[in-house]
Amino acid sequence: MLSKKTKYGIKALTFLAKQENKSPVQIATISKSENISLKFLESILLTLRKNGFLGSKKGKGGGYYLLKEPKDIKMTEIMRVLEGPIAMVPCVSLNFYEKCDDCPDENLCAIHSLMIEVRDSTLKIFRNTTLADLCKC
Amino acid sequence: MLSKKTKYGIKALTFLAKQENKSPVQIATISKSENISLKFLESILLTLRKNGFLGSKKGKGGGYYLLKEPKDIKMTEIMRVLEGPIAMVPCVSLNFYEKCDDCPDENLCAIHSLMIEVRDSTLKIFRNTTLADLCKC
DNA sequence: TGCATACTCTATTAAACTAATAGGGTAATA
DNA sequence: TATTACCCTATTAGTTTAATAGAGTATGCA
């Protein structure tokens, strides 16, 4: 299940991507437009800034702005920063691998290969989708 | 992220599917073999019984057994009973639909169509996988 | 310089969910 | 009739999520 953090983060990113000019947008503006708790959004935008998606400007006329072109921001990157692993189980995660406590041997686990299949099909979609694609509706 | 409930449930089902004969298997047997907390497994098997996957027999020589052939049990059914929705957001769920609080119009939501795409690709896999497929490793 | 603006950061909290545990109850069988 | 093994309810510890509060800091402009 997608967390609200991720959902709000994606909505904020698309909001910024839709801006005509590249001037900074205030948190409050996004918060109101997208119906997102201001303080919660604040922390989300902060992590997006710390992870190189957004730049920020303080003071009057300040706000957040995209650092890259929407077409150059892949969904895989966004998902991994906001949501974490894309895989349904840590033992098939590419970037957040963790061994299962209960499995003595992953290769004998019935779920393992199925979860790899699901991971790959989801990855395929996220790799082929950019922020620019999300703005086309 | 797949819950342990679902993971344990699938493991228990495959364990039962692997049995040569169809005689009942005790909870304790599955619990030990698969490293699952006995009491937790108990409640999982109970929901699987209530949802028509398993039959049970009380008293000496009792236990749980599959009601259908492994090849006739689809992953979609198992997932929906144990894990709930397959979709990442309730607003694109086929069986557990819920409207989003923050979206005034789903069709204008940037995430909506992407999540439908992910749901469909995952569904495709789960629909084409049965319990029998999980036992082949 | 001084003030308003708007991001920065830490801490806290309520609610929900997950995973596990405890313990008594009941049906079936030998 | 005693034993076995499922049945059911309640409770709890731990974790995560979502939101809130409030003080701090950098910036730009008059």
Side-chain angles (χ1 to χ4, degrees):
Chain A
M1 191 66 46
L2 203 71
S3 68
K4 296 216 167 174
K5 180 183 172 187
T6 306
K7 194 183 173 193
Y8 292 165
I10 297 174
K11 284 196 169 189
L13 285 170
T14 52
F15 186 90
L16 290 174
K18 278 179 181 168
Q19 297 300 307
E20 299 279 319
N21 45 28
K22 299 227 170 168
S23 58
V25 178
Q26 294 170 33
I27 304 177
T29 307
I30 306 176
S31 160
K32 279 171 200 157
S33 169
E34 302 292 322
N35 297 309
I36 305 171
S37 150
L38 189 126
K39 282 296 200 174
F40 192 22
L41 179 60
E42 207 177 279
S43 73
I44 296 168
L45 295 182
L46 207 56
T47 55
L48 286 173
R49 187 189 63 92
K50 285 182 179 168
N51 283 278
F53 292 92
L54 301 178
S56 66
K57 204 181 161 191
K58 287 186 180 177
K60 197 167 188 177
Y64 281 99
Y65 52 91
L66 283 179
L67 284 180
K68 289 189 282 185
E69 288 296 311
K71 70 171 173 53
D72 294 325
I73 304 178
K74 288 202 183 95
M75 277 308 299
T76 41
E77 309 170 46
I78 300 175
M79 290 297 290
R80 284 187 177 128
V81 163
L82 293 176
E83 188 76 4
I86 288 166
M88 292 185 83
V89 279
C91 67
V92 302
S93 173
L94 296 177
N95 291 259
F96 299 85
Y97 176 84
E98 252 178 77
K99 198 186 171 302
C100 295
D101 299 329
D102 52 310
C103 278
D105 184 357
E106 284 179 4
N107 299 314
L108 296 177
C109 174
I111 312 171
H112 199 73
S113 61
L114 175 65
M115 288 300 121
I116 288 179
E117 208 180 332
V118 173
R119 178 202 69 191
D120 287 342
S121 84
T122 306
L123 266 182
K124 193 178 172 186
I125 295 170
F126 286 161
R127 280 187 180 137
N128 288 316
T129 307
T130 69
L131 191 54
D133 296 317
L134 297 192
C135 298
K136 286 174 190 163
C137 58
Chain B
M1 191 66 47
L2 203 72
S3 68
K4 296 219 169 174
K5 182 182 172 188
T6 306
K7 194 182 173 194
Y8 292 165
I10 297 174
K11 284 196 169 190
L13 286 171
T14 53
F15 187 90
L16 291 173
K18 279 178 180 168
Q19 298 299 307
E20 299 278 320
N21 46 28
K22 300 227 170 168
S23 58
V25 179
Q26 295 170 32
I27 303 177
T29 307
I30 306 176
S31 160
K32 280 171 200 158
S33 168
E34 302 294 321
N35 299 309
I36 304 171
S37 149
L38 189 124
K39 281 297 199 174
F40 192 23
L41 180 60
E42 207 177 281
S43 72
I44 296 168
L45 295 181
L46 206 57
T47 55
L48 286 173
R49 186 189 64 92
K50 285 180 179 169
N51 283 279
F53 292 93
L54 302 178
S56 66
K57 205 181 162 191
K58 288 183 181 179
K60 195 168 189 176
Y64 281 99
Y65 52 91
L66 283 179
L67 284 179
K68 288 190 283 186
E69 289 297 311
K71 70 171 173 51
D72 294 325
I73 304 177
K74 288 202 183 98
M75 277 307 300
T76 42
E77 308 170 47
I78 300 175
M79 290 297 290
R80 284 187 177 126
V81 164
L82 294 176
E83 189 75 6
I86 288 167
M88 292 185 85
V89 279
C91 68
V92 302
S93 174
L94 297 175
N95 291 260
F96 300 84
Y97 175 84
E98 251 177 77
K99 199 186 169 306
C100 295
D101 299 330
D102 52 311
C103 278
D105 183 357
E106 284 180 4
N107 300 314
L108 296 178
C109 174
I111 312 172
H112 199 72
S113 62
L114 175 66
M115 289 299 122
I116 288 180
E117 209 180 331
V118 173
R119 178 202 69 191
D120 286 342
S121 83
T122 307
L123 265 182
K124 193 178 173 186
I125 296 171
F126 286 161
R127 280 189 180 135
N128 287 316
T129 307
T130 70
L131 192 53
D133 297 316
L134 297 192
C135 299
K136 285 176 190 161
C137 59

